[in-house]
Amino acid sequence: MISIENLHVEFGARPLYDNVSFVINDRDRIALVGKNGAGKSTLLKIIHGEQSPTSGVISIPNETTIGYLPQVMRIQDDTTVKDEALKAFANTISLKKELEAKQEEMAERDDYDSDEYMQLVETFTSLQDRFVMMGGDHYEGEIERTLQGLGFKRTDFHRPTSEFSGGWRMRIELAKILLKKPDVLLLDEPTNHLDIESIQWLEQYIAQSSCAVVLVSHDRAFINNVTNRTIEITCGHIEDYKVKYNEYVILRKERREQQIRAYENQQKEIADTKAFIDRFRYQASKAIQVQQRIRQLEKIVPIEIDEIDTSALRLKFPPCLRSGDYPIICDEVEKTYTHNVFKNVNLIIKRGEKVAFVGKNGEGKSTLIKCIMNEIPFGGTLKIGHNVKIGYFAQNQAQMLDDTLTVYETIDHVAKGEIRLRINDILGAFMFGGEASEKKVKFLSGGERSRLAMIRLLLEPVNLLILDEPTNHLDMKSKDVLKDAIRAFDGTAIIVSHDREFLDGLIKKVYEFKGGAVKEYIGGIYDWIK
């Protein structure tokens, strides 16, 4: 369907990748993976035509349609949710108006036997057939199903898009892309702003669709459920695996072990050759052999080894005072704005428990956390237990960092004891390796600030962790480091997250926020999903 041949991309004098070639076939479901900065998002932009490669050819058949969801997009705020979704059917609606005009013209005329009338009927019939092939009047139902699948209520359909947060407006853009039914879907972190139910709906949509998909995602469960092929960008080239992500991880480990063995053998060969040259360089009887070895040395192509997996890094929260037996007790807690967010919330979280707050966006998960943090007024009684020291992570925490410090200095100021010797390792595990550690905080993106705020939290002595969407800006390796740290944490944890793989094996209790109520489920995240 789409052919990428000998792709070469440079930024300045630095090559991003070279000689990249592969084909996107019908119904391919491709996970595009690689470390941050490898060029995954750039490759999607090049395929979509938003960016040009330094050299190489992208061959796309004329009739092939492409839908592209970038991580960040410009969103207009001049219509309602449904009117925005209707833009996906601009051609169908235009054709419908043309049909209605032809039908009206046929009703007004009475020259039924004329050639002009017969031509009108023929044109109408042709347009009618085309209209039926395009789905006809079914688009209203498709819009409703898609918007509801992505979490919108019917009451949202006629609300202005300007009333919605950026995350919800991204859902509207995703709905428009899906409704156009493109031949190829390019999705860059599509689950970032979706809750678990919407992610599952999207998984089912893709499974039932006939389109090809190329996606970038750090949601391991999502890419495992959706993809059947994994393309890794590594060391400036690609490795193409015809398997889903979990199988790719195993094969990649085996390939890296082979690379290491080949690299070690090559280094031994180079060392032996250099030793021979140095030993016999000035002996006339060995001159021919020395020249042969020099030529052999010049022909050797150095073997590159994939980047080292930093997920083996283990972090442990610093020790803290033991809290009381019940860090959080809610008794008939309620919160109302212009509408009732939740009421009659009764829950007890025991010391050492790790629980998840789940539910659709807007059901009150973050609101209850703000009540616990005493950031907003509420009704009922909410008790914080004895000796409770809270470590709180939310997106706005990232705005409280000191802009004048570097990344390294920010962490150095909170690190204590032996952990100071491992600051560079910790920063590397959270994608701040090398020169990135010397960047000033004021120059960091929103996602980078969030990651830095997360590292700070990991180094603070607390006994109650409250994490609101902690994985949104983390890659898979960083998530593994964070998950292991929370699993080893001997305190209590409340986690708001839509990342099923992250929650799996981490939490033992789920609180579902739905319809103004909070319901308790004993068990892991997949027990709740079932």
Side-chain angles (χ1 to χ4, degrees):
M1 184 184 288
I2 295 179
S3 174
I4 292 93
E5 297 177 52
N6 300 320
L7 201 66
H8 179 82
V9 177
E10 288 183 5
F11 287 126
R14 183 178 69 89
L16 189 61
Y17 28 71
D18 184 40
N19 196 29
V20 167
S21 299
F22 64 97
V23 174
I24 302 170
N25 303 298
D26 291 340
R27 297 189 68 86
D28 264 353
R29 306 293 160 80
I30 300 170
L32 199 58
V33 303
K35 68 177 183 178
N36 279 54
K40 303 185 294 294
S41 296
T42 299
L43 187 53
L44 292 186
K45 289 176 185 175
I46 289 171
I47 295 171
H48 188 240
E50 288 198 5
Q51 192 168 318
S52 299
T54 308
S55 62
V57 179
I58 313 291
S59 301
I60 304 174
N62 290 332
E63 68 278 7
T64 299
T65 56
I66 297 177
Y68 172 51
L69 182 77
Q71 281 193 53
V72 180
M73 87 178 0
R74 294 177 183 174
I75 300 169
Q76 295 180 332
D77 289 323
D78 56 358
T79 59
T80 65
V81 171
K82 187 171 182 181
D83 285 342
E84 195 63 31
L86 275 166
K87 291 179 181 179
F89 293 96
N91 292 338
T92 306
I93 293 168
S94 174
L95 185 58
K96 184 179 181 180
K97 288 178 181 176
E98 193 177 349
L99 269 171
E100 289 169 351
K102 297 291 182 190
Q103 196 169 23
E104 193 175 324
E105 185 182 348
M106 284 163 52
E108 290 173 353
R109 293 174 61 162
D110 55 10
D111 55 333
Y112 307 123
D113 295 327
S114 69
D115 290 342
E116 290 81 2
Y117 192 88
M118 293 305 294
Q119 181 62 45
L120 180 61
V121 170
E122 194 173 319
T123 302
F124 176 83
T125 304
S126 175
L127 290 174
Q128 179 73 24
D129 290 344
R130 192 167 143 220
F131 183 68
V132 171
M133 283 181 65
M134 290 172 71
D137 285 316
H138 299 308
Y139 62 84
E140 291 276 354
E142 285 188 55
I143 287 172
E144 289 198 11
R145 282 192 298 273
T146 303
L147 288 175
Q148 287 180 315
L150 290 173
F152 290 94
K153 300 172 185 172
R154 285 180 182 274
T155 51
D156 294 328
F157 290 1
H158 299 290
R159 288 173 58 193
T161 57
S162 57
E163 292 182 5
F164 292 86
S165 68
W168 280 99
R169 281 179 284 176
M170 286 294 285
R171 294 189 191 208
I172 298 170
E173 293 303 315
L174 177 58
K176 283 163 61 180
I177 291 166
L178 298 180
L179 287 166
K180 288 178 181 177
K181 295 185 173 61
D183 299 312
V184 181
L185 268 176
L186 307 177
L187 304 175
D188 198 347
E189 296 290 0
T191 65
N192 267 4
H193 302 288
L194 302 182
D195 50 59
I196 291 175
E197 289 182 34
S198 299
I199 292 171
Q200 290 180 300
W201 178 88
L202 182 58
E203 288 174 353
Q204 189 175 16
Y205 176 93
I206 291 174
Q208 294 172 350
S209 169
S210 59
C211 67
V213 178
V214 184
L215 67 89
V216 175
S217 177
H218 292 141
D219 185 328
R220 189 181 278 115
F222 177 70
I223 62 173
N224 269 324
N225 291 339
V226 165
T227 62
N228 55 20
R229 180 178 169 193
T230 306
I231 293 180
E232 179 190 19
I233 303 176
T234 175
C235 298
H237 68 280
I238 66 162
E239 295 288 342
D240 196 347
Y241 299 81
K242 304 297 190 291
V243 295
K244 60 175 60 180
Y245 183 82
N246 273 355
E247 295 171 64
Y248 144 78
V249 171
I250 296 168
L251 293 175
R252 182 185 186 277
K253 184 180 178 184
E254 293 173 357
R255 182 170 62 82
R256 191 167 188 280
E257 288 170 353
Q258 290 170 356
Q259 280 181 329
I260 291 171
R261 284 195 296 270
Y263 175 81
E264 289 172 347
N265 290 337
Q266 188 184 67
Q267 291 302 303
K268 185 177 184 304
E269 180 189 350
I270 291 170
D272 290 346
T273 304
K274 285 181 176 179
F276 182 91
I277 293 168
D278 291 340
R279 184 179 177 185
F280 298 111
R281 183 184 296 273
Y282 302 109
Q283 290 189 24
S285 61
K286 298 284 189 179
I288 294 174
Q289 291 169 283
V290 167
Q291 289 304 312
Q292 287 175 340
R293 299 296 172 93
I294 289 173
R295 285 194 291 272
Q296 285 174 8
L297 205 57
E298 290 170 348
K299 289 179 181 178
I300 290 176
V301 178
I303 293 172
E304 289 185 279
I305 301 178
D306 294 344
E307 66 275 6
I308 293 175
D309 189 351
T310 55
S311 64
L313 177 70
R314 295 290 177 259
L315 287 178
K316 190 171 182 181
F317 284 87
C320 182
L321 284 173
R322 181 184 173 97
S323 74
D325 291 340
Y326 303 102
I328 302 289
I329 299 175
C330 292
D331 184 14
E332 298 295 317
V333 172
E334 63 175 51
K335 179 61 187 174
T336 303
Y337 290 110
T338 53
H339 67 289
N340 185 266
V341 183
F342 48 70
K343 61 180 179 179
N344 308 125
V345 175
N346 296 288
L347 61 86
I348 297 175
I349 298 177
K350 299 175 185 176
R351 183 183 65 243
E353 283 189 326
K354 294 177 176 64
V355 307
F357 284 3
V358 302
K360 290 184 178 179
N361 290 359
E363 291 286 356
K365 304 183 298 293
S366 296
T367 302
L368 183 55
I369 283 177
K370 288 176 182 174
C371 294
I372 293 171
M373 296 301 299
N374 203 27
E375 291 183 354
I376 55 174
F378 56 88
T381 305
L382 198 161
K383 293 180 181 176
I384 305 296
H386 178 64
N387 267 347
V388 169
K389 182 167 175 54
I390 299 176
Y392 177 40
F393 175 82
Q395 300 307 317
N396 64 349
Q397 300 299 108
Q399 306 311 313
M400 299 178 188
L401 298 170
D402 187 340
D403 281 350
T404 65
L405 299 178
T406 66
V407 169
Y408 186 93
E409 288 167 345
T410 300
I411 301 308
D412 190 40
H413 283 195
V414 294
K416 299 285 189 295
E418 291 183 7
I419 201 73
R420 294 190 66 191
L421 302 175
R422 304 177 67 203
I423 290 176
N424 284 327
D425 291 338
I426 296 168
L427 291 174
F430 284 85
M431 298 175 279
F432 287 114
E435 294 177 2
S437 67
E438 297 306 318
K439 242 173 135 177
K440 288 277 190 184
V441 170
K442 64 182 175 184
F443 296 122
L444 298 181
S445 67
E448 288 171 327
R449 280 175 169 266
S450 292
R451 292 204 305 274
L452 191 57
M454 175 60 68
I455 301 171
R456 272 179 57 97
L457 178 57
L458 284 168
L459 300 178
E460 292 177 1
V462 299
N463 51 33
L464 172 59
L465 274 177
I466 300 179
L467 307 177
D468 194 353
E469 298 292 1
T471 65
N472 265 6
H473 300 285
L474 302 183
D475 66 0
M476 291 185 191
K477 293 175 186 176
S478 306
K479 285 197 281 189
D480 288 341
V481 173
L482 177 60
K483 183 174 179 176
D484 287 343
I486 298 171
R487 191 186 278 126
F489 177 56
D490 58 8
T492 310
I494 300 171
I495 305 165
V496 179
S497 178
H498 59 253
D499 192 320
R500 293 158 292 174
E501 186 74 20
F502 182 74
L503 293 174
D504 186 32
L506 184 58
I507 54 101
K508 301 297 181 187
K509 188 187 288 184
V510 173
Y511 288 100
E512 180 187 34
F513 289 65
K514 188 175 183 180
V518 179
K519 188 174 180 181
E520 179 183 285
Y521 293 84
I522 305 298
I525 190 65
Y526 285 107
D527 296 318
W528 169 72
I529 288 173
K530 290 173 187 175

